Amino acid sequence: MKVLVVGGGGREHALAWKIAASPEVNEVLCAPGNAGTARIGRNFDVAATDLDGLVALAKSEGVQLVVIGPEDPLCAGLADRLRAEGILVFGPGADGARLEGSKVFSKEFLDRYRIPTGEWRRFDRAGAAKGYVESLTTWPQVVKANGLAAGKGVFVCEDAKEACATIDAIMEEKRFGAAGTEVVIEEFLHGRELSVHVVTDGSTLLLLEAVQDYKQIGEGDVGPNTGGMGIYSPVPFVTQRLMRQIEQRVLLPTIDALRKEGIDYRGVLFAGLMITEAGPRVLEYNCRFGDPETQAMMRRMTSDFVPYLVAAASGTLESMDPVTWDTRSCVGVVGAAEGYPGPYEKGHMIAGVDEAAELDDVVVFHAGTRLDGTQTLTAGGRVLCATALGSNLDAARGNAYAAYDRIQWAGKYCRRDIGLARRERVLVEADDNGEA
Ligand code: AMP
Ligand code: GLY
């Protein structure tokens, strides 16, 4: 089978790596890919947002399955376009992708089906939004641009002054363009954050292992949000009971609701959750795999993933056995360019990746890298991620940092607290009797 992976980040390198390991696959193509995917399969210089180019590529190469990584092509309807050509696609159509593409749509969806989430209001005028936040007595509050903003359109505001400035930046200064025509203002939820992914063909649901991501740039969770600076899995506070609760209260109702809305959702649904004292609450839906979360999942998955991708794409997931997992822990440390998530430089030479990959149980996934002849150069904010398995979280952590430290480029930055013990602190587990 010939498989095309759309995208060029760490998520896509990890997916291509796992897909290439399948005995059913003889070739993996990536568009556009990165320096890491170039060593697994063939890269094509077609952007993930070039829908015409991607459809033409899939047709001319006779691709049998397309796996779409990023949200932009999903929201733009790439899966619909490919399906119209009779090509098997892992990824929802534009209707399902609205769960990520519009916060207003997803919040209305959550409320309509009584799926637990924070209280919220929507505003399409800055004046009304500011009037509302001036009237609030509970802080912090969360201000969100409605549309896609590469994970940067969400602001936790400590008081009305900060919220008003944020509303101005989004709605008046149009910092996120059309994505900021509307804002959602949401109650701040206290608890522990968790990313849960479920593969679905629209009716059957296949739960993947939970992963903990680190969203903020600074150690101890300070500073602005990023795409994600590190990961570990499994997550000690996630008990079977909590996973059952998440499945019953959030995931199954979501799949049911999608069906009721007439949305044929085939791909992965990624729920960003806050585990509060009253149970899980949905912070956001994503219509695609998380990055870097997917890297930990691909490292720990022992099943061949390709039959599951095909089954989800073709609507036959019900016939599949559960996915099996390595019981060891995985830690991934993201290396970023100095300055990220603000402005940063590109084009620095990267050395030591092969030396890092020689270590036991280590795989280095590329994100923002590109090949220049035989030299690998930095080409993005998040440059790569050193992932390692270990018999427990500490062992995996040691292996991951040992690998990371063998890699060099000018201005390399990482958080040093990925997978540290304070993350294991047990949360008051959500009470089964809590409101749903
Ligand atoms: P989102 O893109 O909506 O998941 O928001 C990005 C990040 O902002 C989340 O991962 C949380 O860390 C934080 N966040 C979003 N909404 C809330 C909320 N209602 N309460 C607390 N934190 C939130
Ligand atoms: N790591 C968070 C995301 O992929 O949205």
mmCIF file of all heavy atoms in Angstrom, residues 349-389:
data_model
loop_
_atom_site.group_PDB
_atom_site.id
_atom_site.type_symbol
_atom_site.label_atom_id
_atom_site.label_comp_id
_atom_site.label_asym_id
_atom_site.label_seq_id
_atom_site.Cartn_x
_atom_site.Cartn_y
_atom_site.Cartn_z
ATOM 1 N N MET A 349 22.574 25.324 11.352
ATOM 2 C CA MET A 349 22.965 23.929 11.131
ATOM 3 C C MET A 349 22.693 23.090 12.373
ATOM 4 O O MET A 349 23.003 23.500 13.491
ATOM 5 C CB MET A 349 24.460 23.862 10.810
ATOM 6 C CG MET A 349 24.761 24.309 9.391
ATOM 7 S SD MET A 349 26.361 23.723 8.830
ATOM 8 C CE MET A 349 27.438 24.467 10.022
ATOM 9 N N ILE A 350 22.127 21.912 12.170
ATOM 10 C CA ILE A 350 21.838 20.994 13.280
ATOM 11 C C ILE A 350 22.848 19.860 13.233
ATOM 12 O O ILE A 350 23.060 19.256 12.177
ATOM 13 C CB ILE A 350 20.419 20.423 13.164
ATOM 14 C CG1 ILE A 350 19.389 21.552 13.071
ATOM 15 C CG2 ILE A 350 20.111 19.505 14.350
ATOM 16 C CD1 ILE A 350 17.975 21.072 12.784
ATOM 17 N N ALA A 351 23.459 19.555 14.381
ATOM 18 C CA ALA A 351 24.420 18.448 14.450
ATOM 19 C C ALA A 351 24.011 17.495 15.572
ATOM 20 O O ALA A 351 23.319 17.890 16.508
ATOM 21 C CB ALA A 351 25.819 18.992 14.720
ATOM 22 N N GLY A 352 24.436 16.252 15.456
ATOM 23 C CA GLY A 352 24.309 15.302 16.556
ATOM 24 C C GLY A 352 23.035 14.479 16.577
ATOM 25 O O GLY A 352 22.832 13.693 17.509
ATOM 26 N N VAL A 353 22.171 14.613 15.583
ATOM 27 C CA VAL A 353 20.909 13.851 15.612
ATOM 28 C C VAL A 353 21.183 12.345 15.511
ATOM 29 O O VAL A 353 20.590 11.543 16.247
ATOM 30 C CB VAL A 353 19.959 14.309 14.478
ATOM 31 C CG1 VAL A 353 18.728 13.416 14.406
ATOM 32 C CG2 VAL A 353 19.526 15.758 14.710
ATOM 33 N N ASP A 354 22.115 11.951 14.639
ATOM 34 C CA ASP A 354 22.413 10.513 14.510
ATOM 35 C C ASP A 354 23.028 9.972 15.801
ATOM 36 O O ASP A 354 22.714 8.851 16.222
ATOM 37 C CB ASP A 354 23.359 10.259 13.326
ATOM 38 C CG ASP A 354 22.635 10.476 11.999
ATOM 39 O OD1 ASP A 354 21.394 10.357 11.973
ATOM 40 O OD2 ASP A 354 23.316 10.771 10.996
ATOM 41 N N GLU A 355 23.900 10.779 16.429
ATOM 42 C CA GLU A 355 24.518 10.356 17.696
ATOM 43 C C GLU A 355 23.437 10.187 18.764
ATOM 44 O O GLU A 355 23.481 9.266 19.583
ATOM 45 C CB GLU A 355 25.554 11.385 18.165
ATOM 46 C CG GLU A 355 26.830 11.441 17.334
ATOM 47 C CD GLU A 355 26.667 12.163 15.983
ATOM 48 O OE1 GLU A 355 25.550 12.654 15.684
ATOM 49 O OE2 GLU A 355 27.645 12.210 15.231
ATOM 50 N N ALA A 356 22.456 11.051 18.779
ATOM 51 C CA ALA A 356 21.356 10.939 19.750
ATOM 52 C C ALA A 356 20.542 9.683 19.482
ATOM 53 O O ALA A 356 20.188 8.937 20.403
ATOM 54 C CB ALA A 356 20.461 12.180 19.666
ATOM 55 N N ALA A 357 20.281 9.419 18.201
ATOM 56 C CA ALA A 357 19.431 8.282 17.838
ATOM 57 C C ALA A 357 20.111 6.937 18.088
ATOM 58 O O ALA A 357 19.441 5.908 18.128
ATOM 59 C CB ALA A 357 19.016 8.402 16.373
ATOM 60 N N GLU A 358 21.454 6.961 18.269
ATOM 61 C CA GLU A 358 22.166 5.711 18.571
ATOM 62 C C GLU A 358 21.871 5.210 19.978
ATOM 63 O O GLU A 358 22.081 4.040 20.288
ATOM 64 C CB GLU A 358 23.681 5.933 18.467
ATOM 65 C CG GLU A 358 24.203 5.800 17.052
ATOM 66 C CD GLU A 358 25.625 6.336 16.945
ATOM 67 O OE1 GLU A 358 26.284 6.548 17.990
ATOM 68 O OE2 GLU A 358 26.049 6.558 15.789
ATOM 69 N N LEU A 359 21.418 6.084 20.852
ATOM 70 C CA LEU A 359 21.133 5.672 22.227
ATOM 71 C C LEU A 359 19.950 4.687 22.239
ATOM 72 O O LEU A 359 19.056 4.784 21.396
ATOM 73 C CB LEU A 359 20.794 6.893 23.082
ATOM 74 C CG LEU A 359 21.947 7.862 23.343
ATOM 75 C CD1 LEU A 359 21.436 9.150 23.992
ATOM 76 C CD2 LEU A 359 22.996 7.205 24.252
ATOM 77 N N ASP A 360 19.980 3.764 23.204
ATOM 78 C CA ASP A 360 18.906 2.774 23.292
ATOM 79 C C ASP A 360 17.555 3.453 23.483
ATOM 80 O O ASP A 360 17.443 4.403 24.266
ATOM 81 C CB ASP A 360 19.150 1.840 24.491
ATOM 82 C CG ASP A 360 20.281 0.865 24.201
ATOM 83 O OD1 ASP A 360 20.643 0.717 23.007
ATOM 84 O OD2 ASP A 360 20.795 0.272 25.170
ATOM 85 N N ASP A 361 16.551 2.930 22.822
ATOM 86 C CA ASP A 361 15.157 3.343 23.024
ATOM 87 C C ASP A 361 14.881 4.813 22.693
ATOM 88 O O ASP A 361 13.930 5.405 23.198
ATOM 89 C CB ASP A 361 14.712 3.063 24.480
ATOM 90 C CG ASP A 361 14.787 1.584 24.805
ATOM 91 O OD1 ASP A 361 14.417 0.776 23.930
ATOM 92 O OD2 ASP A 361 15.217 1.237 25.923
ATOM 93 N N VAL A 362 15.734 5.401 21.863
ATOM 94 C CA VAL A 362 15.556 6.814 21.493
ATOM 95 C C VAL A 362 15.156 6.923 20.019
ATOM 96 O O VAL A 362 15.703 6.220 19.172
ATOM 97 C CB VAL A 362 16.868 7.605 21.719
ATOM 98 C CG1 VAL A 362 16.815 8.977 21.028
ATOM 99 C CG2 VAL A 362 17.130 7.771 23.220
ATOM 100 N N VAL A 363 14.180 7.782 19.740
ATOM 101 C CA VAL A 363 13.877 8.187 18.359
ATOM 102 C C VAL A 363 13.749 9.709 18.365
ATOM 103 O O VAL A 363 13.052 10.273 19.210
ATOM 104 C CB VAL A 363 12.567 7.553 17.822
ATOM 105 C CG1 VAL A 363 12.263 8.061 16.408
ATOM 106 C CG2 VAL A 363 12.658 6.036 17.815
ATOM 107 N N VAL A 364 14.458 10.363 17.453
ATOM 108 C CA VAL A 364 14.356 11.819 17.334
ATOM 109 C C VAL A 364 13.416 12.132 16.181
ATOM 110 O O VAL A 364 13.667 11.735 15.041
ATOM 111 C CB VAL A 364 15.744 12.456 17.075
ATOM 112 C CG1 VAL A 364 15.606 13.973 16.922
ATOM 113 C CG2 VAL A 364 16.707 12.106 18.212
ATOM 114 N N PHE A 365 12.309 12.821 16.500
ATOM 115 C CA PHE A 365 11.384 13.226 15.452
ATOM 116 C C PHE A 365 11.665 14.680 15.070
ATOM 117 O O PHE A 365 11.762 15.552 15.937
ATOM 118 C CB PHE A 365 9.934 13.070 15.918
ATOM 119 C CG PHE A 365 9.514 11.629 16.070
ATOM 120 C CD1 PHE A 365 9.097 11.137 17.305
ATOM 121 C CD2 PHE A 365 9.537 10.764 14.978
ATOM 122 C CE1 PHE A 365 8.710 9.806 17.442
ATOM 123 C CE2 PHE A 365 9.156 9.434 15.106
ATOM 124 C CZ PHE A 365 8.744 8.952 16.345
ATOM 125 N N HIS A 366 11.763 14.910 13.767
ATOM 126 C CA HIS A 366 11.986 16.265 13.273
ATOM 127 C C HIS A 366 10.660 17.019 13.215
ATOM 128 O O HIS A 366 9.619 16.425 12.981
ATOM 129 C CB HIS A 366 12.550 16.221 11.848
ATOM 130 C CG HIS A 366 13.942 15.693 11.761
ATOM 131 N ND1 HIS A 366 14.972 16.436 11.253
ATOM 132 C CD2 HIS A 366 14.476 14.503 12.127
ATOM 133 C CE1 HIS A 366 16.094 15.721 11.292
ATOM 134 N NE2 HIS A 366 15.813 14.542 11.820
ATOM 135 N N ALA A 367 10.723 18.331 13.397
ATOM 136 C CA ALA A 367 9.532 19.178 13.219
ATOM 137 C C ALA A 367 9.909 20.267 12.218
ATOM 138 O O ALA A 367 9.761 20.074 11.021
ATOM 139 C CB ALA A 367 9.077 19.736 14.558
ATOM 140 N N GLY A 368 10.453 21.407 12.705
ATOM 141 C CA GLY A 368 10.870 22.477 11.801
ATOM 142 C C GLY A 368 12.292 22.267 11.351
ATOM 143 O O GLY A 368 13.216 22.922 11.856
ATOM 144 N N THR A 369 12.508 21.334 10.420
ATOM 145 C CA THR A 369 13.847 21.113 9.857
ATOM 146 C C THR A 369 13.721 20.999 8.346
ATOM 147 O O THR A 369 12.665 20.672 7.827
ATOM 148 C CB THR A 369 14.484 19.793 10.358
ATOM 149 O OG1 THR A 369 13.768 18.688 9.792
ATOM 150 C CG2 THR A 369 14.494 19.705 11.873
ATOM 151 N N ARG A 370 14.824 21.270 7.654
ATOM 152 C CA ARG A 370 14.840 20.995 6.210
ATOM 153 C C ARG A 370 16.245 20.591 5.791
ATOM 154 O O ARG A 370 17.230 20.921 6.470
ATOM 155 C CB ARG A 370 14.367 22.204 5.410
ATOM 156 C CG ARG A 370 15.300 23.383 5.428
ATOM 157 C CD ARG A 370 14.752 24.522 4.574
ATOM 158 N NE ARG A 370 15.652 25.649 4.650
ATOM 159 C CZ ARG A 370 16.709 25.807 3.855
ATOM 160 N NH1 ARG A 370 16.990 24.926 2.913
ATOM 161 N NH2 ARG A 370 17.510 26.858 4.004
ATOM 162 N N LEU A 371 16.299 19.855 4.688
ATOM 163 C CA LEU A 371 17.585 19.403 4.157
ATOM 164 C C LEU A 371 18.115 20.434 3.183
ATOM 165 O O LEU A 371 17.371 20.975 2.369
ATOM 166 C CB LEU A 371 17.414 18.079 3.417
ATOM 167 C CG LEU A 371 17.449 16.800 4.248
ATOM 168 C CD1 LEU A 371 17.253 15.599 3.335
ATOM 169 C CD2 LEU A 371 18.751 16.673 5.036
ATOM 170 N N ASP A 372 19.443 20.701 3.316
ATOM 171 C CA ASP A 372 20.116 21.545 2.337
ATOM 172 C C ASP A 372 21.308 20.704 1.879
ATOM 173 O O ASP A 372 22.329 20.653 2.571
ATOM 174 C CB ASP A 372 20.551 22.852 3.011
ATOM 175 C CG ASP A 372 21.207 23.794 2.018
ATOM 176 O OD1 ASP A 372 20.979 23.641 0.811
ATOM 177 O OD2 ASP A 372 21.969 24.675 2.476
ATOM 178 N N GLY A 373 21.140 20.011 0.774
ATOM 179 C CA GLY A 373 22.137 19.011 0.398
ATOM 180 C C GLY A 373 22.083 17.889 1.420
ATOM 181 O O GLY A 373 21.040 17.284 1.621
ATOM 182 N N THR A 374 23.222 17.646 2.113
ATOM 183 C CA THR A 374 23.200 16.609 3.150
ATOM 184 C C THR A 374 23.066 17.220 4.541
ATOM 185 O O THR A 374 22.978 16.515 5.533
ATOM 186 C CB THR A 374 24.498 15.767 3.109
ATOM 187 O OG1 THR A 374 25.602 16.678 3.217
ATOM 188 C CG2 THR A 374 24.600 14.984 1.805
ATOM 189 N N GLN A 375 23.091 18.541 4.604
ATOM 190 C CA GLN A 375 23.040 19.237 5.891
ATOM 191 C C GLN A 375 21.585 19.480 6.331
ATOM 192 O O GLN A 375 20.761 19.887 5.517
ATOM 193 C CB GLN A 375 23.786 20.582 5.752
ATOM 194 C CG GLN A 375 23.808 21.419 6.999
ATOM 195 C CD GLN A 375 24.521 20.726 8.155
ATOM 196 O OE1 GLN A 375 25.655 20.289 8.023
ATOM 197 N NE2 GLN A 375 23.836 20.620 9.291
ATOM 198 N N THR A 376 21.314 19.228 7.617
ATOM 199 C CA THR A 376 19.984 19.518 8.148
ATOM 200 C C THR A 376 20.006 20.898 8.809
ATOM 201 O O THR A 376 20.886 21.192 9.619
ATOM 202 C CB THR A 376 19.575 18.448 9.178
ATOM 203 O OG1 THR A 376 19.659 17.173 8.557
ATOM 204 C CG2 THR A 376 18.158 18.666 9.666
ATOM 205 N N LEU A 377 19.034 21.730 8.440
ATOM 206 C CA LEU A 377 18.947 23.094 8.970
ATOM 207 C C LEU A 377 17.661 23.295 9.743
ATOM 208 O O LEU A 377 16.645 22.626 9.471
ATOM 209 C CB LEU A 377 18.985 24.109 7.810
ATOM 210 C CG LEU A 377 20.192 24.066 6.877
ATOM 211 C CD1 LEU A 377 20.031 25.100 5.765
ATOM 212 C CD2 LEU A 377 21.490 24.316 7.647
ATOM 213 N N THR A 378 17.678 24.238 10.691
ATOM 214 C CA THR A 378 16.442 24.573 11.389
ATOM 215 C C THR A 378 15.534 25.350 10.422
ATOM 216 O O THR A 378 16.016 26.125 9.594
ATOM 217 C CB THR A 378 16.686 25.432 12.650
ATOM 218 O OG1 THR A 378 17.191 26.710 12.258
ATOM 219 C CG2 THR A 378 17.681 24.769 13.596
ATOM 220 N N ALA A 379 14.226 25.101 10.527
ATOM 221 C CA ALA A 379 13.294 25.733 9.585
ATOM 222 C C ALA A 379 11.967 26.070 10.256
ATOM 223 O O ALA A 379 10.968 26.309 9.585
ATOM 224 C CB ALA A 379 13.061 24.801 8.393
ATOM 225 N N GLY A 380 11.953 26.083 11.602
ATOM 226 C CA GLY A 380 10.691 26.372 12.291
ATOM 227 C C GLY A 380 10.948 26.712 13.741
ATOM 228 O O GLY A 380 12.103 26.712 14.204
ATOM 229 N N GLY A 381 9.878 26.995 14.493
ATOM 230 C CA GLY A 381 9.979 27.361 15.898
ATOM 231 C C GLY A 381 10.255 26.148 16.769
ATOM 232 O O GLY A 381 11.176 26.120 17.576
ATOM 233 N N ARG A 382 9.416 25.119 16.592
ATOM 234 C CA ARG A 382 9.709 23.854 17.253
ATOM 235 C C ARG A 382 10.527 23.045 16.255
ATOM 236 O O ARG A 382 10.049 22.713 15.176
ATOM 237 C CB ARG A 382 8.419 23.140 17.638
ATOM 238 C CG ARG A 382 7.707 23.864 18.792
ATOM 239 C CD ARG A 382 6.524 23.075 19.309
ATOM 240 N NE ARG A 382 5.463 22.925 18.324
ATOM 241 C CZ ARG A 382 4.411 22.127 18.474
ATOM 242 N NH1 ARG A 382 4.301 21.383 19.548
ATOM 243 N NH2 ARG A 382 3.477 22.060 17.548
ATOM 244 N N VAL A 383 11.773 22.751 16.597
ATOM 245 C CA VAL A 383 12.724 22.196 15.616
ATOM 246 C C VAL A 383 12.662 20.673 15.577
ATOM 247 O O VAL A 383 12.587 20.071 14.522
ATOM 248 C CB VAL A 383 14.151 22.693 15.917
ATOM 249 C CG1 VAL A 383 15.168 22.025 14.999
ATOM 250 C CG2 VAL A 383 14.211 24.219 15.761
ATOM 251 N N LEU A 384 12.700 20.055 16.742
ATOM 252 C CA LEU A 384 12.644 18.589 16.797
ATOM 253 C C LEU A 384 12.244 18.162 18.196
ATOM 254 O O LEU A 384 12.111 18.993 19.105
ATOM 255 C CB LEU A 384 13.988 17.966 16.377
ATOM 256 C CG LEU A 384 15.290 18.474 17.000
ATOM 257 C CD1 LEU A 384 15.436 18.019 18.450
ATOM 258 C CD2 LEU A 384 16.486 18.001 16.207
ATOM 259 N N CYS A 385 12.056 16.855 18.366
ATOM 260 C CA CYS A 385 11.683 16.334 19.681
ATOM 261 C C CYS A 385 12.426 15.025 19.903
ATOM 262 O O CYS A 385 12.340 14.110 19.087
ATOM 263 C CB CYS A 385 10.169 16.122 19.741
ATOM 264 S SG CYS A 385 9.576 15.442 21.304
ATOM 265 N N ALA A 386 13.196 14.960 20.998
ATOM 266 C CA ALA A 386 13.904 13.733 21.351
ATOM 267 C C ALA A 386 12.969 12.888 22.214
ATOM 268 O O ALA A 386 12.607 13.298 23.315
ATOM 269 C CB ALA A 386 15.184 14.069 22.114
ATOM 270 N N THR A 387 12.550 11.726 21.699
ATOM 271 C CA THR A 387 11.650 10.859 22.461
ATOM 272 C C THR A 387 12.422 9.636 22.936
ATOM 273 O O THR A 387 13.303 9.144 22.234
ATOM 274 C CB THR A 387 10.451 10.377 21.619
ATOM 275 O OG1 THR A 387 10.901 9.469 20.601
ATOM 276 C CG2 THR A 387 9.706 11.542 20.988
ATOM 277 N N ALA A 388 12.082 9.164 24.132
ATOM 278 C CA ALA A 388 12.739 7.969 24.653
ATOM 279 C C ALA A 388 11.763 7.154 25.473
ATOM 280 O O ALA A 388 10.874 7.708 26.131
ATOM 281 C CB ALA A 388 13.941 8.362 25.507
ATOM 282 N N LEU A 389 11.942 5.843 25.439
ATOM 283 C CA LEU A 389 11.186 4.957 26.315
ATOM 284 C C LEU A 389 12.066 4.625 27.511
ATOM 285 O O LEU A 389 13.298 4.725 27.438
ATOM 286 C CB LEU A 389 10.809 3.670 25.576
ATOM 287 C CG LEU A 389 9.892 3.830 24.370
ATOM 288 C CD1 LEU A 389 9.740 2.511 23.624
ATOM 289 C CD2 LEU A 389 8.518 4.355 24.799
#
